[in-house]
Amino acid sequence: MQKREQLMKEFSELIQFVESLRELDQLTWITPLAEGKWTLRDVVAHIMLWDKYFLEEGIQKNNK
């Protein structure tokens, strides 16, 4: 298992990637990635909720 520091570094690198998505136009955000697949907006929202869960359940609880 990776150390907490390594996981935090990887998550911080993901922030840079997500910030780069701001440059995309609206149509790109709402177009499915492939037929029958999620949109980019759906994928990012899913990751955000997963990260929120990880923060609350994995990181904050372990720091108490």
Side-chain angles (χ1 to χ4, degrees), residues 14-31:
L14 181 60
I15 292 170
Q16 292 175 353
F17 168 71
V18 171
E19 286 178 346
S20 76
L21 298 177
R22 291 181 190 206
E23 304 299 319
L24 299 175
D25 60 88
Q26 183 68 18
L27 183 60
T28 301
W29 278 97
I30 62 172
T31 301

Side-chain angles (χ1 to χ4, degrees), residues 11 16 47:
F11 279 117
Q16 292 175 353
I47 292 170

Side-chain angles (χ1 to χ4, degrees), residues 3-54:
K3 293 185 178 186
R4 180 174 179 260
E5 294 81 21
Q6 179 63 29
L7 289 172
M8 295 304 291
K9 180 182 180 294
E10 290 175 13
F11 279 117
S12 69
E13 291 169 357
L14 181 60
I15 292 170
Q16 292 175 353
F17 168 71
V18 171
E19 286 178 346
S20 76
L21 298 177
R22 291 181 190 206
E23 304 299 319
L24 299 175
D25 60 88
Q26 183 68 18
L27 183 60
T28 301
W29 278 97
I30 62 172
T31 301
L33 298 173
E35 186 175 336
K37 300 297 182 183
W38 286 4
T39 66
L40 179 57
R41 178 179 61 187
D42 296 333
V43 172
V44 171
H46 179 77
I47 292 170
M48 287 174 54
L49 291 174
W50 178 251
D51 284 354
K52 180 179 183 293
Y53 172 81
F54 179 73

